[in-house]
Amino acid sequence: MIEAPRRKPIANPFPAPAGKGIRKQKHSTNEIMTASQQSNPPPAPDAAVPALRLEQVGRRFGALQAVRNVTFDIARGERRGIIGPNGAGKTTLFNTICGDFPPTEGRILLFGEDISRLKPHLRARQGIGRTYQTSLLFTGLTVLENLFLAVRGAMPNRLSLLKPGAGDAALAKARDLAERVRVSNIAAEKIDTISHGQRRQVEVGMALASDPKLLMLDEPAAGLSAGERPELVKLIQDLPRDLTLILIEHDMEVALPNSDIVTVMKDGEVVVENTPDRIADDPVVQAIYLGGAH
Amino acid sequence: MPMLSRLQWAISLAVLALLLALPFLLPSFWTGNIMGRAIVYGIVAMSLTFLASYGGFISLAQTMIAGIAGYTVAVLAPTAIPLGNHWLPYWALIPLAVAAATFAGAVVGLIAVRTREIYLLMITLALAVGFSLFAQSNIDWFNGYEGIRNILGPDIFGYPFRNLYVFYYSSLLVATALYFLVLYVVKTPFGLVLQGIRDNPRRVSAIGFNVGVHRVASFALAGFIAGWGGVLITFYNIGITPGSIGIWATVNVLVMAVIGGLGHPIGAFIGALVYTLFDTFAATIYDRDRFNTLIGLVFLVIVLVSPDGLLGLFRRLTGWRTGRSVATETMEEKT
């Protein structure tokens, strides 16, 4: 019953140019390599391969096409804002990326690997961390237990029947995380007894626990009071710069200062993609946000 | 993350001491037919409570899984009538029976891995009814309707298992060990993931755990617990029949678990004790053959007054939080 740490051999669809470094792990797991391929160095983690590539991604729920023909690349270390009105398909796009509702059309490539058909827990192990628009936490467990599980989920020997001791590494890391998202004072409280703002902070902590390569925040400041909001914005600004980040935010005041590039969605499609300073002046965006002023 | 608070440890030890002293304080009928019986059926009820309390799964297959362990012992036991005289000794037979129940639990978990709530209830109920009907119609192995008799159990330190003290203390030992096993397991990563699945399966996947594997493992563990109960029940009844694992037996175990409260494993034993008391004394309280009416009324009153059983009632009266209840939680979600 012990679940072995595994990594599915996935052929890299974007062979990198020759002469780059060799990723040992990939080399050993890729069983379908031919002799001629082996003479060329396999794909390298070079900067040319985007952190995330969406190729004509679509998601259909019955007759409803919630996301349609979305294509874009997100570079390593980029901070991407996704804005748009309610029902634009922002959260559905997140769900296709993390696997809760896999895409019905198109492909999703994470660091060059096609993850379109992977189950959500396998995508998480590939380095995706995400938060949810409405906090999805383990309400019967304490803050520390929530963070501990999120740390354990990224480690081998996930199915363990040994109680963590005082010196447990995952437990220590969970305590550090609690410190980092500023909830260490309530670490022993059960989730159903803490405030909404504190839950939003634990949400971010859960997503950071696996040291993700791609972090997706779905309206992290949703429902926060004016007093709680700066705390969370600070949390986002303090994230390491090399972390690739996608931020869904309804509120442009939060989205624009925290994004390198902003993608605007409407009716399931990408309508504009631009830098934050230009996006506010874009006629299409103004039409969406100001109710068709142009 | 301590398993129990200091107060809880103190109470647990006090209760255990009382249980150890009980055979010397009570008439032998009470030791065997009330306390002993409540303990062995309580073990099966606890396997149900474990799944409900920590996983959020209501499984009606636990009696059937106990029955698989019981039949494994009965079919292969040295003294079995009419099939008997097998060479396998009890010390090998009992672990084999528990292993069979663990395996059966995993199979039930695998069959039901994608179902929740009412559908999970229906699938596990169908499996339970199916197995008892199979046992009833199979003559070659299970001796059909009559079942298998004369399962005396092992001798322990030279004393027969039928000895009141041997039966009582063995059952108490097994039940205590399993009870603390459950309390330990729910603080391990596996147990915490299980509670995570109860609260939010989607998040469990999102942080990298395989929900299906953990579900199947939890059913296997519940099968392990139910298996011990099944073995002891078979020794208690000196045999096993299809009727003892059929739909009524399934309902009885569910009633025990609900009366006690699905919020904490101890509820299973409290429920089993209350159930056994009514089952035994219904005739003297009211009338012969009115047991079902009486226990039905008790069940109704308890469920109406306190949806989370006697434990929930106790908790509300004392304001003491011993754990968390599935019943109150689903009610909170609905409001």
Side-chain angles (χ1 to χ4, degrees), chain A residues 138-181:
Chain A
F138 308 132
T139 48
L141 301 179
T142 66
V143 169
L144 189 63
E145 285 168 337
N146 270 265
L147 294 170
F148 170 73
L149 277 188
V151 173
R152 278 303 309 237
M155 291 167 62
N157 302 324
R158 287 176 191 83
L159 204 164
S160 164
L161 281 169
L162 289 180
K163 206 171 113 180
D168 187 82
L171 204 54
K173 193 170 170 192
R175 287 207 182 87
D176 288 347
L177 267 172
E179 192 79 35
R180 192 164 157 200
V181 297

mmCIF file of all heavy atoms in Angstrom, chain A residues 138-181:
data_model
loop_
_atom_site.group_PDB
_atom_site.id
_atom_site.type_symbol
_atom_site.label_atom_id
_atom_site.label_comp_id
_atom_site.label_asym_id
_atom_site.label_seq_id
_atom_site.Cartn_x
_atom_site.Cartn_y
_atom_site.Cartn_z
ATOM 1 N N PHE A 138 -8.723 22.203 5.146
ATOM 2 C CA PHE A 138 -9.223 21.061 5.914
ATOM 3 C C PHE A 138 -9.757 21.609 7.238
ATOM 4 O O PHE A 138 -9.015 21.787 8.205
ATOM 5 C CB PHE A 138 -8.120 20.044 6.120
ATOM 6 C CG PHE A 138 -7.458 19.658 4.820
ATOM 7 C CD1 PHE A 138 -6.084 19.636 4.708
ATOM 8 C CD2 PHE A 138 -8.221 19.337 3.702
ATOM 9 C CE1 PHE A 138 -5.468 19.296 3.506
ATOM 10 C CE2 PHE A 138 -7.621 18.998 2.499
ATOM 11 C CZ PHE A 138 -6.240 18.980 2.407
ATOM 12 N N THR A 139 -11.050 21.860 7.262
ATOM 13 C CA THR A 139 -11.635 22.646 8.345
ATOM 14 C C THR A 139 -11.569 21.941 9.700
ATOM 15 O O THR A 139 -11.614 22.600 10.726
ATOM 16 C CB THR A 139 -13.099 22.988 8.027
ATOM 17 O OG1 THR A 139 -13.745 21.791 7.612
ATOM 18 C CG2 THR A 139 -13.193 24.014 6.930
ATOM 19 N N GLY A 140 -11.485 20.604 9.706
ATOM 20 C CA GLY A 140 -11.440 19.885 10.973
ATOM 21 C C GLY A 140 -10.031 19.754 11.533
ATOM 22 O O GLY A 140 -9.853 19.222 12.628
ATOM 23 N N LEU A 141 -9.035 20.210 10.789
ATOM 24 C CA LEU A 141 -7.644 20.100 11.242
ATOM 25 C C LEU A 141 -7.131 21.483 11.637
ATOM 26 O O LEU A 141 -7.713 22.503 11.282
ATOM 27 C CB LEU A 141 -6.772 19.517 10.133
ATOM 28 C CG LEU A 141 -7.157 18.134 9.627
ATOM 29 C CD1 LEU A 141 -6.213 17.694 8.516
ATOM 30 C CD2 LEU A 141 -7.129 17.105 10.752
ATOM 31 N N THR A 142 -6.014 21.484 12.349
ATOM 32 C CA THR A 142 -5.440 22.761 12.771
ATOM 33 C C THR A 142 -4.693 23.414 11.606
ATOM 34 O O THR A 142 -4.420 22.766 10.590
ATOM 35 C CB THR A 142 -4.457 22.574 13.930
ATOM 36 O OG1 THR A 142 -3.338 21.820 13.445
ATOM 37 C CG2 THR A 142 -5.090 21.835 15.106
ATOM 38 N N VAL A 143 -4.351 24.679 11.784
ATOM 39 C CA VAL A 143 -3.575 25.413 10.785
ATOM 40 C C VAL A 143 -2.268 24.680 10.501
ATOM 41 O O VAL A 143 -1.900 24.450 9.347
ATOM 42 C CB VAL A 143 -3.292 26.849 11.294
ATOM 43 C CG1 VAL A 143 -2.265 27.542 10.414
ATOM 44 C CG2 VAL A 143 -4.586 27.651 11.357
ATOM 45 N N LEU A 144 -1.598 24.258 11.574
ATOM 46 C CA LEU A 144 -0.312 23.583 11.400
ATOM 47 C C LEU A 144 -0.482 22.250 10.673
ATOM 48 O O LEU A 144 0.317 21.900 9.803
ATOM 49 C CB LEU A 144 0.353 23.368 12.768
ATOM 50 C CG LEU A 144 1.802 22.875 12.710
ATOM 51 C CD1 LEU A 144 2.696 23.903 12.045
ATOM 52 C CD2 LEU A 144 2.326 22.549 14.096
ATOM 53 N N GLU A 145 -1.540 21.513 11.013
ATOM 54 C CA GLU A 145 -1.786 20.220 10.344
ATOM 55 C C GLU A 145 -2.072 20.421 8.857
ATOM 56 O O GLU A 145 -1.628 19.636 8.014
ATOM 57 C CB GLU A 145 -2.944 19.475 11.025
ATOM 58 C CG GLU A 145 -2.555 18.855 12.359
ATOM 59 C CD GLU A 145 -3.742 18.370 13.181
ATOM 60 O OE1 GLU A 145 -4.871 18.857 12.971
ATOM 61 O OE2 GLU A 145 -3.539 17.509 14.040
ATOM 62 N N ASN A 146 -2.811 21.482 8.524
ATOM 63 C CA ASN A 146 -3.054 21.812 7.117
ATOM 64 C C ASN A 146 -1.736 22.043 6.381
ATOM 65 O O ASN A 146 -1.501 21.464 5.322
ATOM 66 C CB ASN A 146 -3.919 23.070 7.010
ATOM 67 C CG ASN A 146 -5.407 22.770 6.988
ATOM 68 O OD1 ASN A 146 -6.004 22.671 5.926
ATOM 69 N ND2 ASN A 146 -5.992 22.587 8.150
ATOM 70 N N LEU A 147 -0.883 22.861 6.962
ATOM 71 C CA LEU A 147 0.387 23.190 6.309
ATOM 72 C C LEU A 147 1.298 21.966 6.269
ATOM 73 O O LEU A 147 1.979 21.720 5.282
ATOM 74 C CB LEU A 147 1.072 24.357 7.038
ATOM 75 C CG LEU A 147 0.327 25.692 6.959
ATOM 76 C CD1 LEU A 147 0.947 26.712 7.902
ATOM 77 C CD2 LEU A 147 0.325 26.227 5.532
ATOM 78 N N PHE A 148 1.260 21.181 7.347
ATOM 79 C CA PHE A 148 2.066 19.958 7.406
ATOM 80 C C PHE A 148 1.696 19.020 6.260
ATOM 81 O O PHE A 148 2.566 18.481 5.564
ATOM 82 C CB PHE A 148 1.852 19.266 8.759
ATOM 83 C CG PHE A 148 2.444 17.890 8.849
ATOM 84 C CD1 PHE A 148 3.811 17.710 8.955
ATOM 85 C CD2 PHE A 148 1.628 16.772 8.835
ATOM 86 C CE1 PHE A 148 4.359 16.444 9.032
ATOM 87 C CE2 PHE A 148 2.170 15.504 8.914
ATOM 88 C CZ PHE A 148 3.532 15.335 9.009
ATOM 89 N N LEU A 149 0.396 18.839 6.026
ATOM 90 C CA LEU A 149 -0.049 17.961 4.944
ATOM 91 C C LEU A 149 0.408 18.498 3.598
ATOM 92 O O LEU A 149 0.841 17.733 2.734
ATOM 93 C CB LEU A 149 -1.571 17.830 4.945
ATOM 94 C CG LEU A 149 -2.151 16.805 5.908
ATOM 95 C CD1 LEU A 149 -3.640 16.657 5.662
ATOM 96 C CD2 LEU A 149 -1.472 15.448 5.751
ATOM 97 N N ALA A 150 0.314 19.811 3.424
ATOM 98 C CA ALA A 150 0.721 20.403 2.151
ATOM 99 C C ALA A 150 2.220 20.180 1.912
ATOM 100 O O ALA A 150 2.647 19.952 0.784
ATOM 101 C CB ALA A 150 0.383 21.877 2.124
ATOM 102 N N VAL A 151 3.009 20.213 2.992
ATOM 103 C CA VAL A 151 4.448 19.937 2.860
ATOM 104 C C VAL A 151 4.662 18.462 2.533
ATOM 105 O O VAL A 151 5.413 18.099 1.641
ATOM 106 C CB VAL A 151 5.199 20.314 4.158
ATOM 107 C CG1 VAL A 151 6.648 19.861 4.083
ATOM 108 C CG2 VAL A 151 5.132 21.806 4.412
ATOM 109 N N ARG A 152 3.957 17.585 3.259
ATOM 110 C CA ARG A 152 4.094 16.138 3.052
ATOM 111 C C ARG A 152 3.705 15.713 1.645
ATOM 112 O O ARG A 152 4.247 14.764 1.102
ATOM 113 C CB ARG A 152 3.208 15.371 4.054
ATOM 114 C CG ARG A 152 3.799 15.174 5.426
ATOM 115 C CD ARG A 152 5.122 14.467 5.392
ATOM 116 N NE ARG A 152 5.094 13.238 4.626
ATOM 117 C CZ ARG A 152 5.413 12.050 5.090
ATOM 118 N NH1 ARG A 152 5.771 11.921 6.338
ATOM 119 N NH2 ARG A 152 5.387 10.998 4.324
ATOM 120 N N GLY A 153 2.712 16.415 1.075
ATOM 121 C CA GLY A 153 2.235 16.046 -0.256
ATOM 122 C C GLY A 153 3.307 16.170 -1.320
ATOM 123 O O GLY A 153 3.238 15.532 -2.360
ATOM 124 N N ALA A 154 4.327 16.984 -1.045
ATOM 125 C CA ALA A 154 5.395 17.174 -2.022
ATOM 126 C C ALA A 154 6.595 16.285 -1.732
ATOM 127 O O ALA A 154 7.605 16.364 -2.411
ATOM 128 C CB ALA A 154 5.819 18.639 -2.024
ATOM 129 N N MET A 155 6.478 15.431 -0.700
ATOM 130 C CA MET A 155 7.612 14.583 -0.318
ATOM 131 C C MET A 155 7.363 13.140 -0.711
ATOM 132 O O MET A 155 6.223 12.744 -0.932
ATOM 133 C CB MET A 155 7.821 14.665 1.200
ATOM 134 C CG MET A 155 8.334 16.018 1.673
ATOM 135 S SD MET A 155 8.210 16.192 3.460
ATOM 136 C CE MET A 155 9.289 14.888 4.024
ATOM 137 N N PRO A 156 8.428 12.331 -0.805
ATOM 138 C CA PRO A 156 8.216 10.896 -1.043
ATOM 139 C C PRO A 156 7.592 10.230 0.191
ATOM 140 O O PRO A 156 7.475 10.851 1.237
ATOM 141 C CB PRO A 156 9.622 10.365 -1.315
ATOM 142 C CG PRO A 156 10.533 11.365 -0.711
ATOM 143 C CD PRO A 156 9.844 12.679 -0.774
ATOM 144 N N ASN A 157 7.215 8.972 0.072
ATOM 145 C CA ASN A 157 6.559 8.216 1.157
ATOM 146 C C ASN A 157 5.352 8.955 1.686
ATOM 147 O O ASN A 157 5.219 9.199 2.867
ATOM 148 C CB ASN A 157 7.504 7.954 2.331
ATOM 149 C CG ASN A 157 8.719 7.199 1.896
ATOM 150 O OD1 ASN A 157 8.609 6.332 1.024
ATOM 151 N ND2 ASN A 157 9.849 7.526 2.454
ATOM 152 N N ARG A 158 4.478 9.342 0.762
ATOM 153 C CA ARG A 158 3.325 10.134 1.183
ATOM 154 C C ARG A 158 2.418 9.366 2.128
ATOM 155 O O ARG A 158 1.888 9.919 3.065
ATOM 156 C CB ARG A 158 2.537 10.582 -0.034
ATOM 157 C CG ARG A 158 3.236 11.654 -0.804
ATOM 158 C CD ARG A 158 2.480 11.999 -2.044
ATOM 159 N NE ARG A 158 3.311 12.843 -2.889
ATOM 160 C CZ ARG A 158 4.212 12.389 -3.705
ATOM 161 N NH1 ARG A 158 4.395 11.092 -3.816
ATOM 162 N NH2 ARG A 158 4.956 13.199 -4.419
ATOM 163 N N LEU A 159 2.229 8.055 1.820
ATOM 164 C CA LEU A 159 1.316 7.290 2.661
ATOM 165 C C LEU A 159 2.107 6.729 3.834
ATOM 166 O O LEU A 159 2.711 5.670 3.737
ATOM 167 C CB LEU A 159 0.668 6.168 1.845
ATOM 168 C CG LEU A 159 -0.670 5.645 2.359
ATOM 169 C CD1 LEU A 159 -1.375 4.846 1.281
ATOM 170 C CD2 LEU A 159 -0.533 4.821 3.600
ATOM 171 N N SER A 160 2.132 7.452 4.935
ATOM 172 C CA SER A 160 2.949 7.035 6.065
ATOM 173 C C SER A 160 2.092 6.774 7.291
ATOM 174 O O SER A 160 1.165 7.522 7.579
ATOM 175 C CB SER A 160 3.988 8.113 6.376
ATOM 176 O OG SER A 160 4.519 7.887 7.663
ATOM 177 N N LEU A 161 2.415 5.694 7.985
ATOM 178 C CA LEU A 161 1.690 5.356 9.205
ATOM 179 C C LEU A 161 2.526 5.647 10.442
ATOM 180 O O LEU A 161 2.305 5.070 11.498
ATOM 181 C CB LEU A 161 1.281 3.884 9.182
ATOM 182 C CG LEU A 161 0.039 3.598 8.328
ATOM 183 C CD1 LEU A 161 -0.161 2.129 8.120
ATOM 184 C CD2 LEU A 161 -1.197 4.199 8.994
ATOM 185 N N LEU A 162 3.507 6.532 10.290
ATOM 186 C CA LEU A 162 4.323 6.903 11.450
ATOM 187 C C LEU A 162 4.010 8.334 11.840
ATOM 188 O O LEU A 162 4.034 9.245 11.014
ATOM 189 C CB LEU A 162 5.809 6.763 11.118
ATOM 190 C CG LEU A 162 6.294 5.325 10.981
ATOM 191 C CD1 LEU A 162 7.773 5.301 10.658
ATOM 192 C CD2 LEU A 162 6.017 4.538 12.261
ATOM 193 N N LYS A 163 3.712 8.513 13.095
ATOM 194 C CA LYS A 163 3.381 9.832 13.595
ATOM 195 C C LYS A 163 4.634 10.711 13.555
ATOM 196 O O LYS A 163 5.702 10.261 13.951
ATOM 197 C CB LYS A 163 2.877 9.701 15.036
ATOM 198 C CG LYS A 163 1.956 10.816 15.451
ATOM 199 C CD LYS A 163 1.346 10.490 16.783
ATOM 200 C CE LYS A 163 1.837 11.445 17.826
ATOM 201 N NZ LYS A 163 1.287 11.172 19.141
ATOM 202 N N PRO A 164 4.522 11.954 13.060
ATOM 203 C CA PRO A 164 5.705 12.808 13.006
ATOM 204 C C PRO A 164 6.224 13.124 14.409
ATOM 205 O O PRO A 164 5.447 13.483 15.286
ATOM 206 C CB PRO A 164 5.194 14.069 12.303
ATOM 207 C CG PRO A 164 3.724 14.053 12.465
ATOM 208 C CD PRO A 164 3.324 12.619 12.540
ATOM 209 N N GLY A 165 7.508 12.965 14.593
ATOM 210 C CA GLY A 165 8.115 13.271 15.884
ATOM 211 C C GLY A 165 8.395 14.755 16.004
ATOM 212 O O GLY A 165 8.117 15.534 15.089
ATOM 213 N N ALA A 166 8.963 15.145 17.131
ATOM 214 C CA ALA A 166 9.204 16.569 17.386
ATOM 215 C C ALA A 166 10.202 17.134 16.377
ATOM 216 O O ALA A 166 10.115 18.295 15.997
ATOM 217 C CB ALA A 166 9.721 16.757 18.804
ATOM 218 N N GLY A 167 11.146 16.299 15.921
ATOM 219 C CA GLY A 167 12.173 16.785 15.007
ATOM 220 C C GLY A 167 11.852 16.547 13.543
ATOM 221 O O GLY A 167 12.732 16.620 12.690
ATOM 222 N N ASP A 168 10.598 16.257 13.256
ATOM 223 C CA ASP A 168 10.209 15.933 11.887
ATOM 224 C C ASP A 168 10.479 17.102 10.944
ATOM 225 O O ASP A 168 10.104 18.246 11.224
ATOM 226 C CB ASP A 168 8.723 15.572 11.879
ATOM 227 C CG ASP A 168 8.267 15.071 10.534
ATOM 228 O OD1 ASP A 168 8.478 13.887 10.263
ATOM 229 O OD2 ASP A 168 7.727 15.870 9.762
ATOM 230 N N ALA A 169 11.120 16.810 9.804
ATOM 231 C CA ALA A 169 11.505 17.877 8.869
ATOM 232 C C ALA A 169 10.280 18.571 8.281
ATOM 233 O O ALA A 169 10.254 19.801 8.153
ATOM 234 C CB ALA A 169 12.367 17.302 7.758
ATOM 235 N N ALA A 170 9.273 17.780 7.933
ATOM 236 C CA ALA A 170 8.072 18.365 7.322
ATOM 237 C C ALA A 170 7.348 19.267 8.323
ATOM 238 O O ALA A 170 6.850 20.334 7.973
ATOM 239 C CB ALA A 170 7.138 17.267 6.840
ATOM 240 N N LEU A 171 7.353 18.837 9.577
ATOM 241 C CA LEU A 171 6.698 19.633 10.616
ATOM 242 C C LEU A 171 7.446 20.954 10.821
ATOM 243 O O LEU A 171 6.834 22.018 10.958
ATOM 244 C CB LEU A 171 6.667 18.822 11.917
ATOM 245 C CG LEU A 171 5.584 19.169 12.933
ATOM 246 C CD1 LEU A 171 4.214 19.139 12.309
ATOM 247 C CD2 LEU A 171 5.653 18.189 14.103
ATOM 248 N N ALA A 172 8.771 20.869 10.791
ATOM 249 C CA ALA A 172 9.583 22.080 10.943
ATOM 250 C C ALA A 172 9.319 23.032 9.787
ATOM 251 O O ALA A 172 9.183 24.246 9.972
ATOM 252 C CB ALA A 172 11.067 21.703 10.997
ATOM 253 N N LYS A 173 9.210 22.459 8.586
ATOM 254 C CA LYS A 173 8.953 23.299 7.415
ATOM 255 C C LYS A 173 7.562 23.935 7.497
ATOM 256 O O LYS A 173 7.379 25.094 7.116
ATOM 257 C CB LYS A 173 9.074 22.460 6.147
ATOM 258 C CG LYS A 173 9.126 23.306 4.914
ATOM 259 C CD LYS A 173 9.478 22.500 3.690
ATOM 260 C CE LYS A 173 9.272 23.357 2.454
ATOM 261 N NZ LYS A 173 9.315 22.566 1.232
ATOM 262 N N ALA A 174 6.605 23.150 8.022
ATOM 263 C CA ALA A 174 5.250 23.694 8.180
ATOM 264 C C ALA A 174 5.261 24.876 9.150
ATOM 265 O O ALA A 174 4.571 25.872 8.935
ATOM 266 C CB ALA A 174 4.302 22.605 8.668
ATOM 267 N N ARG A 175 6.083 24.763 10.203
ATOM 268 C CA ARG A 175 6.183 25.884 11.157
ATOM 269 C C ARG A 175 6.790 27.113 10.496
ATOM 270 O O ARG A 175 6.332 28.234 10.713
ATOM 271 C CB ARG A 175 7.028 25.466 12.361
ATOM 272 C CG ARG A 175 6.301 24.504 13.271
ATOM 273 C CD ARG A 175 6.780 24.592 14.722
ATOM 274 N NE ARG A 175 6.057 23.611 15.509
ATOM 275 C CZ ARG A 175 6.427 22.338 15.651
ATOM 276 N NH1 ARG A 175 7.558 21.906 15.084
ATOM 277 N NH2 ARG A 175 5.708 21.492 16.351
ATOM 278 N N ASP A 176 7.822 26.895 9.650
ATOM 279 C CA ASP A 176 8.419 28.020 8.922
ATOM 280 C C ASP A 176 7.388 28.691 8.020
ATOM 281 O O ASP A 176 7.336 29.919 7.927
ATOM 282 C CB ASP A 176 9.595 27.531 8.056
ATOM 283 C CG ASP A 176 10.794 27.157 8.910
ATOM 284 O OD1 ASP A 176 10.784 27.503 10.104
ATOM 285 O OD2 ASP A 176 11.724 26.523 8.382
ATOM 286 N N LEU A 177 6.594 27.858 7.357
ATOM 287 C CA LEU A 177 5.560 28.395 6.467
ATOM 288 C C LEU A 177 4.555 29.232 7.245
ATOM 289 O O LEU A 177 4.155 30.308 6.793
ATOM 290 C CB LEU A 177 4.802 27.249 5.809
ATOM 291 C CG LEU A 177 5.287 26.770 4.454
ATOM 292 C CD1 LEU A 177 4.521 25.526 4.079
ATOM 293 C CD2 LEU A 177 5.094 27.840 3.404
ATOM 294 N N ALA A 178 4.167 28.718 8.410
ATOM 295 C CA ALA A 178 3.211 29.447 9.246
ATOM 296 C C ALA A 178 3.771 30.823 9.583
ATOM 297 O O ALA A 178 3.070 31.828 9.554
ATOM 298 C CB ALA A 178 2.917 28.658 10.513
ATOM 299 N N GLU A 179 5.076 30.830 9.850
ATOM 300 C CA GLU A 179 5.766 32.094 10.127
ATOM 301 C C GLU A 179 5.698 33.010 8.908
ATOM 302 O O GLU A 179 5.366 34.186 8.997
ATOM 303 C CB GLU A 179 7.224 31.771 10.487
ATOM 304 C CG GLU A 179 8.012 32.920 11.074
ATOM 305 C CD GLU A 179 7.673 33.124 12.546
ATOM 306 O OE1 GLU A 179 7.426 32.118 13.259
ATOM 307 O OE2 GLU A 179 7.657 34.289 12.961
ATOM 308 N N ARG A 180 5.984 32.408 7.751
ATOM 309 C CA ARG A 180 6.090 33.166 6.505
ATOM 310 C C ARG A 180 4.747 33.793 6.109
ATOM 311 O O ARG A 180 4.703 34.919 5.632
ATOM 312 C CB ARG A 180 6.561 32.208 5.417
ATOM 313 C CG ARG A 180 6.990 32.870 4.151
ATOM 314 C CD ARG A 180 7.786 31.869 3.325
ATOM 315 N NE ARG A 180 7.778 32.217 1.930
ATOM 316 C CZ ARG A 180 8.044 31.362 0.960
ATOM 317 N NH1 ARG A 180 8.303 30.082 1.263
ATOM 318 N NH2 ARG A 180 8.044 31.739 -0.291
ATOM 319 N N VAL A 181 3.655 33.054 6.273
ATOM 320 C CA VAL A 181 2.348 33.629 5.914
ATOM 321 C C VAL A 181 1.663 34.242 7.136
ATOM 322 O O VAL A 181 0.476 34.513 7.119
ATOM 323 C CB VAL A 181 1.432 32.599 5.207
ATOM 324 C CG1 VAL A 181 2.029 32.157 3.889
ATOM 325 C CG2 VAL A 181 1.147 31.402 6.091
#
